[in-house]
Amino acid sequence: MSNYEEIQLLLDDYLNDRLPADSKEKFEKSLSQQPDLQEELVIHQNLMHVIGEQPDMRRKEMAKHPMMKEVLEVLDSEETRQLRATISEVNEEYQQNQGKSSGTIMRSFPLMAIAASIIILLNFGLVFWQDSSNADLYDAYKDSYSPISLVERSSSVNTSLNVIINALQAADYEKVITSVNDAPELVKQHAEVLLYLGLAYRETAQFDESIKAFERYAAINDLDQSIADWNIGLIYLKTEENAKAKSYFQKLAESTAFEGAADAQEILKNLE
Amino acid sequence: MNEHNSALVKGLIEGRKEVLYKIYEELFPKVRKFVLRNNGRQQDAEDLFQRSLLQLITKAKVSGLPEIKSIEAYLFTINKNLWRRELNSNERVTNPTTHEQSYESGTDSTAQLMATASLQEEAVALLEQERWELYQTCFAQLTENCRKVLDFFFKKKPYSAFNEEFGYSSESVARQRVFKCKNKLSKLIKAHGNYNRLKNL
């Protein structure tokens, strides 16, 4: 074994507390006398942290480093204070605009050529759920879900359907509910209005009715069971009924057909 | 650095609002998603992102502009490191602005101490980032085999795993390989232009 190898072995054993007491004492004596060895020790400690992802053994030493003074002076300067304030202002402005922008996007959907996603449409409300502990989880997934496009609508689109979509885009949920419930024939022709109905009920906090609407949609359109399950799962997230939410996302996570299976898995992970 | 990145970094350092906003638009959603998926909340993501911007600005003032290809990728790495640091630490570091505001209004006598402690933590985090970059840059210069060998070693995989992965005939062969790669890495670190400045970090 070379000298370098021996030293490295000792370093690793020393840092991992594997040296017997007498060897440790001997090693520490050598360490105090050899700056080169001290340098190797620091590098080894840092590699254990940077590559080995182990706790940082050098953290306490950082505060004593000559660069600290310089960094602290910059951080504590008037110029930095102003920058902090500017960054904070921009953050506030950005976060506020994020809340507003969802509504703007929604209103700008072209009515006659909707190639938009039902899922995205249904999830716009999530932005406003800032008061529950699951709210952030919803928000994290609203943009990551791959949209399922609606069929392109021609200008001859059913007028009653137009009214409902218009109401939905205007966030007039009561009108959506009334219009769908007053037009049972429309449901037979356009099952997706039940998704709109589910959204409207959800946005007006009528969760039981919302779930029923999504379940009705799945019963008519069994190919889209996953869409219904996703949205029912979201309702349970919103109402903080995590056990129920988990059962829906579990099913979706295991689905090979549902393109949001990976997202369902992530939601489950966050609910653990 | 391309023109787009160069303009963003320059604008960031100058504290230009429109540039900061652009950076928010391009990067904050990714950082937010990362934080939320790693046991954080919206407020954590906002605090973290603000600290990362300030860290980059401070770094540029103290050490000059870093060699980066993409400001987005660079800032995202800073955010990841800050968040990892946060998760490994028992106490959360909040934005010192909050403490400073209390201090300036004279309502809280402990606020000054807290603000100082926060500044200290920010400074340490910056130095940690500098050190991390130096070590990672050197590590990236090793061969793929050496990187993998050292990854196994520092993640404390048993030597039997080395033999299985790399086909070494014995523990002694594996150990020799580890120390050869470690020696190479150690030399690269010591020869790095920033080493003397960051020595003993």
Side-chain angles (χ1 to χ4, degrees), chain A residues 8 16 39-40 44 46 54 56 58 65 84 89 91 97 139 144 270, chain B residues 17 21 32 36 46 122 131 154 156 182 186 190 195 199-201:
Chain A
Q8 293 304 315
N16 286 293
E39 206 174 338
E40 281 296 328
H44 203 93
N46 285 333
Q54 292 168 51
D56 188 355
R58 305 283 311 160
H65 196 271
R84 261 186 221 284
E89 276 170 34
N91 176 63
N97 287 344
D139 216 5
S144 60
N270 280 279
Chain B
K17 274 191 171 182
Y21 198 89
R32 182 177 184 281
L36 296 182
E46 289 181 33
E122 281 187 348
R131 182 191 59 186
F154 283 109
K156 298 184 177 176
K182 163 84 195 300
S186 189
K190 287 176 187 167
Y195 178 71
K199 201 171 172 179
N200 292 328
L201 262 183

PDB file of all heavy atoms in Angstrom, chain A residues 8 16 39-40 44 46 54 56 58 65 84 89 91 97 139 144 270, chain B residues 17 21 32 36 46 122 131 154 156 182 186 190 195 199-201:
ATOM      1  N   GLN A   8      -4.952   8.274   3.116  1.00  0.00           N
ATOM      2  CA  GLN A   8      -6.364   8.406   2.757  1.00  0.00           C
ATOM      3  C   GLN A   8      -7.241   7.478   3.591  1.00  0.00           C
ATOM      4  O   GLN A   8      -8.342   7.851   4.008  1.00  0.00           O
ATOM      5  CB  GLN A   8      -6.558   8.116   1.257  1.00  0.00           C
ATOM      6  CG  GLN A   8      -5.929   9.126   0.328  1.00  0.00           C
ATOM      7  CD  GLN A   8      -6.423  10.543   0.593  1.00  0.00           C
ATOM      8  OE1 GLN A   8      -7.615  10.775   0.758  1.00  0.00           O
ATOM      9  NE2 GLN A   8      -5.501  11.488   0.652  1.00  0.00           N
ATOM     10  N   ASN A  16     -14.816   9.059   9.886  1.00  0.00           N
ATOM     11  CA  ASN A  16     -15.983   8.216  10.129  1.00  0.00           C
ATOM     12  C   ASN A  16     -15.921   7.547  11.506  1.00  0.00           C
ATOM     13  O   ASN A  16     -16.678   6.612  11.771  1.00  0.00           O
ATOM     14  CB  ASN A  16     -16.126   7.173   9.016  1.00  0.00           C
ATOM     15  CG  ASN A  16     -16.636   7.802   7.731  1.00  0.00           C
ATOM     16  OD1 ASN A  16     -17.773   8.263   7.670  1.00  0.00           O
ATOM     17  ND2 ASN A  16     -15.780   7.852   6.712  1.00  0.00           N
ATOM     18  N   GLU A  39      -4.893  20.028   5.086  1.00  0.00           N
ATOM     19  CA  GLU A  39      -5.517  20.422   3.819  1.00  0.00           C
ATOM     20  C   GLU A  39      -6.278  19.237   3.215  1.00  0.00           C
ATOM     21  O   GLU A  39      -7.407  19.390   2.741  1.00  0.00           O
ATOM     22  CB  GLU A  39      -4.404  20.878   2.863  1.00  0.00           C
ATOM     23  CG  GLU A  39      -4.868  21.847   1.830  1.00  0.00           C
ATOM     24  CD  GLU A  39      -3.699  22.386   1.006  1.00  0.00           C
ATOM     25  OE1 GLU A  39      -2.549  22.344   1.492  1.00  0.00           O
ATOM     26  OE2 GLU A  39      -3.941  22.822  -0.117  1.00  0.00           O
ATOM     27  N   GLU A  40      -5.669  18.075   3.250  1.00  0.00           N
ATOM     28  CA  GLU A  40      -6.314  16.865   2.720  1.00  0.00           C
ATOM     29  C   GLU A  40      -7.565  16.522   3.531  1.00  0.00           C
ATOM     30  O   GLU A  40      -8.564  16.064   2.981  1.00  0.00           O
ATOM     31  CB  GLU A  40      -5.344  15.671   2.760  1.00  0.00           C
ATOM     32  CG  GLU A  40      -4.319  15.642   1.631  1.00  0.00           C
ATOM     33  CD  GLU A  40      -4.947  15.481   0.251  1.00  0.00           C
ATOM     34  OE1 GLU A  40      -5.987  14.820   0.135  1.00  0.00           O
ATOM     35  OE2 GLU A  40      -4.395  16.054  -0.718  1.00  0.00           O
ATOM     36  N   HIS A  44     -11.275  16.172   2.076  1.00  0.00           N
ATOM     37  CA  HIS A  44     -12.024  14.927   2.293  1.00  0.00           C
ATOM     38  C   HIS A  44     -13.387  15.208   2.943  1.00  0.00           C
ATOM     39  O   HIS A  44     -14.406  14.668   2.523  1.00  0.00           O
ATOM     40  CB  HIS A  44     -11.201  13.971   3.168  1.00  0.00           C
ATOM     41  CG  HIS A  44     -11.604  12.536   3.002  1.00  0.00           C
ATOM     42  ND1 HIS A  44     -10.984  11.676   2.108  1.00  0.00           N
ATOM     43  CD2 HIS A  44     -12.573  11.806   3.602  1.00  0.00           C
ATOM     44  CE1 HIS A  44     -11.552  10.495   2.185  1.00  0.00           C
ATOM     45  NE2 HIS A  44     -12.523  10.539   3.082  1.00  0.00           N
ATOM     46  N   ASN A  46     -15.102  17.916   2.764  1.00  0.00           N
ATOM     47  CA  ASN A  46     -15.971  18.561   1.772  1.00  0.00           C
ATOM     48  C   ASN A  46     -16.485  17.580   0.728  1.00  0.00           C
ATOM     49  O   ASN A  46     -17.630  17.685   0.288  1.00  0.00           O
ATOM     50  CB  ASN A  46     -15.229  19.721   1.092  1.00  0.00           C
ATOM     51  CG  ASN A  46     -15.115  20.919   2.009  1.00  0.00           C
ATOM     52  OD1 ASN A  46     -15.950  21.102   2.885  1.00  0.00           O
ATOM     53  ND2 ASN A  46     -14.082  21.734   1.817  1.00  0.00           N
ATOM     54  N   GLN A  54     -23.420  13.849   2.661  1.00  0.00           N
ATOM     55  CA  GLN A  54     -23.470  13.704   4.119  1.00  0.00           C
ATOM     56  C   GLN A  54     -23.502  15.108   4.750  1.00  0.00           C
ATOM     57  O   GLN A  54     -23.194  16.086   4.083  1.00  0.00           O
ATOM     58  CB  GLN A  54     -22.236  12.923   4.578  1.00  0.00           C
ATOM     59  CG  GLN A  54     -22.268  11.467   4.101  1.00  0.00           C
ATOM     60  CD  GLN A  54     -20.937  10.774   4.285  1.00  0.00           C
ATOM     61  OE1 GLN A  54     -20.367  10.814   5.359  1.00  0.00           O
ATOM     62  NE2 GLN A  54     -20.433  10.151   3.230  1.00  0.00           N
ATOM     63  N   ASP A  56     -22.754  18.585   6.428  1.00  0.00           N
ATOM     64  CA  ASP A  56     -21.593  19.449   6.211  1.00  0.00           C
ATOM     65  C   ASP A  56     -20.786  19.602   7.501  1.00  0.00           C
ATOM     66  O   ASP A  56     -21.222  20.263   8.436  1.00  0.00           O
ATOM     67  CB  ASP A  56     -22.108  20.825   5.729  1.00  0.00           C
ATOM     68  CG  ASP A  56     -20.990  21.730   5.282  1.00  0.00           C
ATOM     69  OD1 ASP A  56     -19.816  21.340   5.437  1.00  0.00           O
ATOM     70  OD2 ASP A  56     -21.296  22.823   4.771  1.00  0.00           O
ATOM     71  N   ARG A  58     -18.043  21.169   7.822  1.00  0.00           N
ATOM     72  CA  ARG A  58     -17.264  22.402   7.816  1.00  0.00           C
ATOM     73  C   ARG A  58     -18.101  23.640   8.134  1.00  0.00           C
ATOM     74  O   ARG A  58     -17.582  24.746   8.119  1.00  0.00           O
ATOM     75  CB  ARG A  58     -16.593  22.612   6.447  1.00  0.00           C
ATOM     76  CG  ARG A  58     -15.744  21.471   5.958  1.00  0.00           C
ATOM     77  CD  ARG A  58     -14.402  21.400   6.627  1.00  0.00           C
ATOM     78  NE  ARG A  58     -13.715  22.670   6.644  1.00  0.00           N
ATOM     79  CZ  ARG A  58     -12.728  22.951   7.495  1.00  0.00           C
ATOM     80  NH1 ARG A  58     -12.341  22.066   8.359  1.00  0.00           N
ATOM     81  NH2 ARG A  58     -12.136  24.123   7.469  1.00  0.00           N
ATOM     82  N   HIS A  65     -14.187  32.069   8.328  1.00  0.00           N
ATOM     83  CA  HIS A  65     -13.407  32.230   7.097  1.00  0.00           C
ATOM     84  C   HIS A  65     -13.198  33.711   6.763  1.00  0.00           C
ATOM     85  O   HIS A  65     -14.112  34.520   6.946  1.00  0.00           O
ATOM     86  CB  HIS A  65     -14.115  31.517   5.944  1.00  0.00           C
ATOM     87  CG  HIS A  65     -13.222  31.300   4.766  1.00  0.00           C
ATOM     88  ND1 HIS A  65     -13.092  32.228   3.774  1.00  0.00           N
ATOM     89  CD2 HIS A  65     -12.406  30.273   4.438  1.00  0.00           C
ATOM     90  CE1 HIS A  65     -12.234  31.765   2.871  1.00  0.00           C
ATOM     91  NE2 HIS A  65     -11.811  30.576   3.255  1.00  0.00           N
ATOM     92  N   ARG A  84     -32.937  44.244  -1.917  1.00  0.00           N
ATOM     93  CA  ARG A  84     -33.871  43.347  -1.208  1.00  0.00           C
ATOM     94  C   ARG A  84     -35.296  43.856  -1.359  1.00  0.00           C
ATOM     95  O   ARG A  84     -36.215  43.101  -1.652  1.00  0.00           O
ATOM     96  CB  ARG A  84     -33.558  43.359   0.287  1.00  0.00           C
ATOM     97  CG  ARG A  84     -32.738  42.229   0.774  1.00  0.00           C
ATOM     98  CD  ARG A  84     -32.641  42.304   2.298  1.00  0.00           C
ATOM     99  NE  ARG A  84     -31.312  41.981   2.751  1.00  0.00           N
ATOM    100  CZ  ARG A  84     -30.832  40.752   2.807  1.00  0.00           C
ATOM    101  NH1 ARG A  84     -31.571  39.733   2.442  1.00  0.00           N
ATOM    102  NH2 ARG A  84     -29.595  40.529   3.214  1.00  0.00           N
ATOM    103  N   GLU A  89     -40.622  43.601  -3.781  1.00  0.00           N
ATOM    104  CA  GLU A  89     -41.727  44.245  -4.527  1.00  0.00           C
ATOM    105  C   GLU A  89     -42.075  43.444  -5.771  1.00  0.00           C
ATOM    106  O   GLU A  89     -43.239  43.224  -6.083  1.00  0.00           O
ATOM    107  CB  GLU A  89     -41.309  45.655  -4.978  1.00  0.00           C
ATOM    108  CG  GLU A  89     -41.504  46.726  -3.929  1.00  0.00           C
ATOM    109  CD  GLU A  89     -40.847  48.036  -4.372  1.00  0.00           C
ATOM    110  OE1 GLU A  89     -40.836  48.319  -5.576  1.00  0.00           O
ATOM    111  OE2 GLU A  89     -40.325  48.751  -3.493  1.00  0.00           O
ATOM    112  N   ASN A  91     -41.513  40.336  -6.307  1.00  0.00           N
ATOM    113  CA  ASN A  91     -42.129  39.072  -5.895  1.00  0.00           C
ATOM    114  C   ASN A  91     -43.624  39.268  -5.640  1.00  0.00           C
ATOM    115  O   ASN A  91     -44.453  38.511  -6.133  1.00  0.00           O
ATOM    116  CB  ASN A  91     -41.446  38.550  -4.621  1.00  0.00           C
ATOM    117  CG  ASN A  91     -42.108  37.285  -4.106  1.00  0.00           C
ATOM    118  OD1 ASN A  91     -42.118  36.258  -4.773  1.00  0.00           O
ATOM    119  ND2 ASN A  91     -42.698  37.353  -2.931  1.00  0.00           N
ATOM    120  N   ASN A  97     -50.047  39.036  -9.793  1.00  0.00           N
ATOM    121  CA  ASN A  97     -50.423  38.866 -11.203  1.00  0.00           C
ATOM    122  C   ASN A  97     -50.715  37.421 -11.545  1.00  0.00           C
ATOM    123  O   ASN A  97     -51.527  37.138 -12.418  1.00  0.00           O
ATOM    124  CB  ASN A  97     -49.321  39.389 -12.123  1.00  0.00           C
ATOM    125  CG  ASN A  97     -49.273  40.903 -12.123  1.00  0.00           C
ATOM    126  OD1 ASN A  97     -50.229  41.550 -11.692  1.00  0.00           O
ATOM    127  ND2 ASN A  97     -48.170  41.459 -12.587  1.00  0.00           N
ATOM    128  N   ASP A 139     -52.143  23.691  -6.602  1.00  0.00           N
ATOM    129  CA  ASP A 139     -51.529  24.691  -7.459  1.00  0.00           C
ATOM    130  C   ASP A 139     -50.316  24.127  -8.195  1.00  0.00           C
ATOM    131  O   ASP A 139     -50.067  24.439  -9.350  1.00  0.00           O
ATOM    132  CB  ASP A 139     -51.125  25.897  -6.600  1.00  0.00           C
ATOM    133  CG  ASP A 139     -51.317  27.183  -7.344  1.00  0.00           C
ATOM    134  OD1 ASP A 139     -51.844  27.128  -8.470  1.00  0.00           O
ATOM    135  OD2 ASP A 139     -50.935  28.229  -6.825  1.00  0.00           O
ATOM    136  N   SER A 144     -49.001  21.221 -14.665  1.00  0.00           N
ATOM    137  CA  SER A 144     -48.170  20.109 -15.103  1.00  0.00           C
ATOM    138  C   SER A 144     -48.967  19.003 -15.758  1.00  0.00           C
ATOM    139  O   SER A 144     -48.421  18.134 -16.392  1.00  0.00           O
ATOM    140  CB  SER A 144     -47.399  19.541 -13.907  1.00  0.00           C
ATOM    141  OG  SER A 144     -48.292  19.087 -12.937  1.00  0.00           O
ATOM    142  N   ASN A 270     -46.912  13.482  -1.743  1.00  0.00           N
ATOM    143  CA  ASN A 270     -47.059  14.673  -0.913  1.00  0.00           C
ATOM    144  C   ASN A 270     -48.105  14.501   0.189  1.00  0.00           C
ATOM    145  O   ASN A 270     -48.079  15.212   1.183  1.00  0.00           O
ATOM    146  CB  ASN A 270     -47.437  15.883  -1.782  1.00  0.00           C
ATOM    147  CG  ASN A 270     -46.226  16.455  -2.467  1.00  0.00           C
ATOM    148  OD1 ASN A 270     -45.474  17.203  -1.865  1.00  0.00           O
ATOM    149  ND2 ASN A 270     -46.009  16.074  -3.713  1.00  0.00           N
TER     150      ASN A 270
ATOM    151  N   LYS B  17     -36.235  46.235 -12.347  1.00  0.00           N
ATOM    152  CA  LYS B  17     -37.484  45.532 -12.049  1.00  0.00           C
ATOM    153  C   LYS B  17     -37.984  44.658 -13.199  1.00  0.00           C
ATOM    154  O   LYS B  17     -38.448  43.544 -12.990  1.00  0.00           O
ATOM    155  CB  LYS B  17     -38.571  46.546 -11.683  1.00  0.00           C
ATOM    156  CG  LYS B  17     -38.563  46.910 -10.221  1.00  0.00           C
ATOM    157  CD  LYS B  17     -39.814  47.693  -9.898  1.00  0.00           C
ATOM    158  CE  LYS B  17     -39.934  47.883  -8.389  1.00  0.00           C
ATOM    159  NZ  LYS B  17     -41.142  48.596  -8.013  1.00  0.00           N
ATOM    160  N   TYR B  21     -38.583  40.712 -13.043  1.00  0.00           N
ATOM    161  CA  TYR B  21     -39.899  40.148 -13.338  1.00  0.00           C
ATOM    162  C   TYR B  21     -39.792  39.036 -14.391  1.00  0.00           C
ATOM    163  O   TYR B  21     -40.421  37.989 -14.291  1.00  0.00           O
ATOM    164  CB  TYR B  21     -40.865  41.238 -13.813  1.00  0.00           C
ATOM    165  CG  TYR B  21     -42.311  40.806 -13.706  1.00  0.00           C
ATOM    166  CD1 TYR B  21     -43.033  41.019 -12.535  1.00  0.00           C
ATOM    167  CD2 TYR B  21     -42.931  40.150 -14.762  1.00  0.00           C
ATOM    168  CE1 TYR B  21     -44.346  40.590 -12.415  1.00  0.00           C
ATOM    169  CE2 TYR B  21     -44.248  39.717 -14.651  1.00  0.00           C
ATOM    170  CZ  TYR B  21     -44.949  39.946 -13.483  1.00  0.00           C
ATOM    171  OH  TYR B  21     -46.250  39.509 -13.363  1.00  0.00           O
ATOM    172  N   ARG B  32     -40.881  26.811  -7.542  1.00  0.00           N
ATOM    173  CA  ARG B  32     -42.065  26.606  -6.707  1.00  0.00           C
ATOM    174  C   ARG B  32     -42.469  25.122  -6.723  1.00  0.00           C
ATOM    175  O   ARG B  32     -42.729  24.526  -5.673  1.00  0.00           O
ATOM    176  CB  ARG B  32     -43.200  27.465  -7.260  1.00  0.00           C
ATOM    177  CG  ARG B  32     -44.456  27.391  -6.483  1.00  0.00           C
ATOM    178  CD  ARG B  32     -45.479  28.356  -7.094  1.00  0.00           C
ATOM    179  NE  ARG B  32     -46.668  28.348  -6.296  1.00  0.00           N
ATOM    180  CZ  ARG B  32     -47.570  27.404  -6.376  1.00  0.00           C
ATOM    181  NH1 ARG B  32     -47.428  26.405  -7.233  1.00  0.00           N
ATOM    182  NH2 ARG B  32     -48.645  27.438  -5.606  1.00  0.00           N
ATOM    183  N   LEU B  36     -42.535  22.683  -3.516  1.00  0.00           N
ATOM    184  CA  LEU B  36     -43.785  22.042  -3.083  1.00  0.00           C
ATOM    185  C   LEU B  36     -43.664  20.532  -3.093  1.00  0.00           C
ATOM    186  O   LEU B  36     -44.261  19.839  -2.277  1.00  0.00           O
ATOM    187  CB  LEU B  36     -44.954  22.480  -3.971  1.00  0.00           C
ATOM    188  CG  LEU B  36     -45.318  23.963  -3.940  1.00  0.00           C
ATOM    189  CD1 LEU B  36     -46.528  24.243  -4.817  1.00  0.00           C
ATOM    190  CD2 LEU B  36     -45.610  24.427  -2.521  1.00  0.00           C
ATOM    191  N   GLU B  46     -41.243  31.356  -2.167  1.00  0.00           N
ATOM    192  CA  GLU B  46     -41.019  32.792  -2.375  1.00  0.00           C
ATOM    193  C   GLU B  46     -39.762  33.271  -1.647  1.00  0.00           C
ATOM    194  O   GLU B  46     -38.944  33.993  -2.206  1.00  0.00           O
ATOM    195  CB  GLU B  46     -42.244  33.591  -1.909  1.00  0.00           C
ATOM    196  CG  GLU B  46     -43.442  33.401  -2.831  1.00  0.00           C
ATOM    197  CD  GLU B  46     -44.650  34.214  -2.392  1.00  0.00           C
ATOM    198  OE1 GLU B  46     -44.469  35.306  -1.839  1.00  0.00           O
ATOM    199  OE2 GLU B  46     -45.780  33.737  -2.596  1.00  0.00           O
ATOM    200  N   GLU B 122     -27.053  33.851   5.568  1.00  0.00           N
ATOM    201  CA  GLU B 122     -27.006  34.110   4.118  1.00  0.00           C
ATOM    202  C   GLU B 122     -25.566  34.094   3.616  1.00  0.00           C
ATOM    203  O   GLU B 122     -25.280  33.572   2.541  1.00  0.00           O
ATOM    204  CB  GLU B 122     -27.632  35.478   3.801  1.00  0.00           C
ATOM    205  CG  GLU B 122     -29.136  35.451   3.785  1.00  0.00           C
ATOM    206  CD  GLU B 122     -29.720  36.781   3.311  1.00  0.00           C
ATOM    207  OE1 GLU B 122     -28.969  37.773   3.211  1.00  0.00           O
ATOM    208  OE2 GLU B 122     -30.906  36.807   3.048  1.00  0.00           O
ATOM    209  N   ARG B 131     -18.067  27.028  -2.567  1.00  0.00           N
ATOM    210  CA  ARG B 131     -17.294  25.801  -2.368  1.00  0.00           C
ATOM    211  C   ARG B 131     -17.893  24.661  -3.187  1.00  0.00           C
ATOM    212  O   ARG B 131     -17.180  23.911  -3.832  1.00  0.00           O
ATOM    213  CB  ARG B 131     -17.316  25.434  -0.870  1.00  0.00           C
ATOM    214  CG  ARG B 131     -16.510  24.208  -0.532  1.00  0.00           C
ATOM    215  CD  ARG B 131     -16.784  23.764   0.883  1.00  0.00           C
ATOM    216  NE  ARG B 131     -18.200  23.460   1.076  1.00  0.00           N
ATOM    217  CZ  ARG B 131     -18.742  23.156   2.246  1.00  0.00           C
ATOM    218  NH1 ARG B 131     -18.005  23.138   3.325  1.00  0.00           N
ATOM    219  NH2 ARG B 131     -20.023  22.879   2.338  1.00  0.00           N
ATOM    220  N   PHE B 154     -17.846   7.743  -1.538  1.00  0.00           N
ATOM    221  CA  PHE B 154     -18.328   8.745  -0.584  1.00  0.00           C
ATOM    222  C   PHE B 154     -19.767   8.488  -0.139  1.00  0.00           C
ATOM    223  O   PHE B 154     -20.213   9.039   0.867  1.00  0.00           O
ATOM    224  CB  PHE B 154     -18.153  10.159  -1.153  1.00  0.00           C
ATOM    225  CG  PHE B 154     -16.722  10.619  -1.072  1.00  0.00           C
ATOM    226  CD1 PHE B 154     -15.952  10.743  -2.223  1.00  0.00           C
ATOM    227  CD2 PHE B 154     -16.132  10.890   0.148  1.00  0.00           C
ATOM    228  CE1 PHE B 154     -14.623  11.138  -2.159  1.00  0.00           C
ATOM    229  CE2 PHE B 154     -14.798  11.285   0.228  1.00  0.00           C
ATOM    230  CZ  PHE B 154     -14.042  11.410  -0.919  1.00  0.00           C
ATOM    231  N   LYS B 156     -20.562   5.629   0.714  1.00  0.00           N
ATOM    232  CA  LYS B 156     -20.311   4.512   1.633  1.00  0.00           C
ATOM    233  C   LYS B 156     -20.879   3.177   1.160  1.00  0.00           C
ATOM    234  O   LYS B 156     -21.451   2.412   1.952  1.00  0.00           O
ATOM    235  CB  LYS B 156     -20.854   4.847   3.024  1.00  0.00           C
ATOM    236  CG  LYS B 156     -20.165   6.053   3.642  1.00  0.00           C
ATOM    237  CD  LYS B 156     -20.673   6.291   5.046  1.00  0.00           C
ATOM    238  CE  LYS B 156     -19.932   7.441   5.691  1.00  0.00           C
ATOM    239  NZ  LYS B 156     -20.408   7.803   6.999  1.00  0.00           N
ATOM    240  N   LYS B 182      -9.343   9.718  -6.226  1.00  0.00           N
ATOM    241  CA  LYS B 182      -9.381  10.759  -5.184  1.00  0.00           C
ATOM    242  C   LYS B 182      -8.148  11.657  -5.298  1.00  0.00           C
ATOM    243  O   LYS B 182      -8.250  12.876  -5.160  1.00  0.00           O
ATOM    244  CB  LYS B 182      -9.464  10.065  -3.821  1.00  0.00           C
ATOM    245  CG  LYS B 182      -9.120  10.911  -2.619  1.00  0.00           C
ATOM    246  CD  LYS B 182     -10.267  11.739  -2.102  1.00  0.00           C
ATOM    247  CE  LYS B 182      -9.817  12.823  -1.153  1.00  0.00           C
ATOM    248  NZ  LYS B 182      -9.126  12.360   0.045  1.00  0.00           N
ATOM    249  N   SER B 186      -8.228  15.573  -5.920  1.00  0.00           N
ATOM    250  CA  SER B 186      -7.584  16.459  -4.958  1.00  0.00           C
ATOM    251  C   SER B 186      -6.631  17.427  -5.673  1.00  0.00           C
ATOM    252  O   SER B 186      -6.589  18.628  -5.364  1.00  0.00           O
ATOM    253  CB  SER B 186      -6.839  15.590  -3.949  1.00  0.00           C
ATOM    254  OG  SER B 186      -6.381  16.355  -2.904  1.00  0.00           O
ATOM    255  N   LYS B 190      -6.943  21.559  -5.874  1.00  0.00           N
ATOM    256  CA  LYS B 190      -5.864  22.454  -5.424  1.00  0.00           C
ATOM    257  C   LYS B 190      -5.348  23.352  -6.556  1.00  0.00           C
ATOM    258  O   LYS B 190      -4.816  24.437  -6.305  1.00  0.00           O
ATOM    259  CB  LYS B 190      -4.711  21.626  -4.852  1.00  0.00           C
ATOM    260  CG  LYS B 190      -5.032  21.030  -3.495  1.00  0.00           C
ATOM    261  CD  LYS B 190      -3.883  20.147  -3.037  1.00  0.00           C
ATOM    262  CE  LYS B 190      -4.214  19.406  -1.771  1.00  0.00           C
ATOM    263  NZ  LYS B 190      -3.249  18.346  -1.485  1.00  0.00           N
ATOM    264  N   TYR B 195      -9.185  28.092  -5.600  1.00  0.00           N
ATOM    265  CA  TYR B 195      -8.883  27.279  -4.414  1.00  0.00           C
ATOM    266  C   TYR B 195      -8.256  28.087  -3.276  1.00  0.00           C
ATOM    267  O   TYR B 195      -8.684  27.998  -2.136  1.00  0.00           O
ATOM    268  CB  TYR B 195      -7.985  26.094  -4.787  1.00  0.00           C
ATOM    269  CG  TYR B 195      -7.615  25.258  -3.578  1.00  0.00           C
ATOM    270  CD1 TYR B 195      -8.574  24.462  -2.943  1.00  0.00           C
ATOM    271  CD2 TYR B 195      -6.322  25.281  -3.042  1.00  0.00           C
ATOM    272  CE1 TYR B 195      -8.263  23.712  -1.822  1.00  0.00           C
ATOM    273  CE2 TYR B 195      -6.005  24.525  -1.915  1.00  0.00           C
ATOM    274  CZ  TYR B 195      -6.978  23.747  -1.316  1.00  0.00           C
ATOM    275  OH  TYR B 195      -6.658  23.001  -0.200  1.00  0.00           O
ATOM    276  N   LYS B 199      -9.778  28.363   0.242  1.00  0.00           N
ATOM    277  CA  LYS B 199      -9.080  27.356   1.043  1.00  0.00           C
ATOM    278  C   LYS B 199      -9.615  27.333   2.476  1.00  0.00           C
ATOM    279  O   LYS B 199      -9.911  28.387   3.046  1.00  0.00           O
ATOM    280  CB  LYS B 199      -7.578  27.702   1.058  1.00  0.00           C
ATOM    281  CG  LYS B 199      -6.684  26.562   1.392  1.00  0.00           C
ATOM    282  CD  LYS B 199      -5.252  27.006   1.147  1.00  0.00           C
ATOM    283  CE  LYS B 199      -4.281  25.981   1.649  1.00  0.00           C
ATOM    284  NZ  LYS B 199      -2.902  26.384   1.409  1.00  0.00           N
ATOM    285  N   ASN B 200      -9.723  26.148   2.994  1.00  0.00           N
ATOM    286  CA  ASN B 200     -10.210  25.924   4.366  1.00  0.00           C
ATOM    287  C   ASN B 200     -11.696  26.189   4.564  1.00  0.00           C
ATOM    288  O   ASN B 200     -12.172  26.220   5.692  1.00  0.00           O
ATOM    289  CB  ASN B 200      -9.409  26.748   5.398  1.00  0.00           C
ATOM    290  CG  ASN B 200      -7.984  26.238   5.501  1.00  0.00           C
ATOM    291  OD1 ASN B 200      -7.753  25.039   5.334  1.00  0.00           O
ATOM    292  ND2 ASN B 200      -7.049  27.135   5.712  1.00  0.00           N
ATOM    293  N   LEU B 201     -12.388  26.411   3.490  1.00  0.00           N
ATOM    294  CA  LEU B 201     -13.846  26.551   3.623  1.00  0.00           C
ATOM    295  C   LEU B 201     -14.420  25.196   3.926  1.00  0.00           C
ATOM    296  O   LEU B 201     -13.989  24.206   3.342  1.00  0.00           O
ATOM    297  CB  LEU B 201     -14.455  27.069   2.320  1.00  0.00           C
ATOM    298  CG  LEU B 201     -14.747  28.547   2.227  1.00  0.00           C
ATOM    299  CD1 LEU B 201     -15.402  28.856   0.895  1.00  0.00           C
ATOM    300  CD2 LEU B 201     -15.653  29.047   3.348  1.00  0.00           C
TER     301      LEU B 201
END
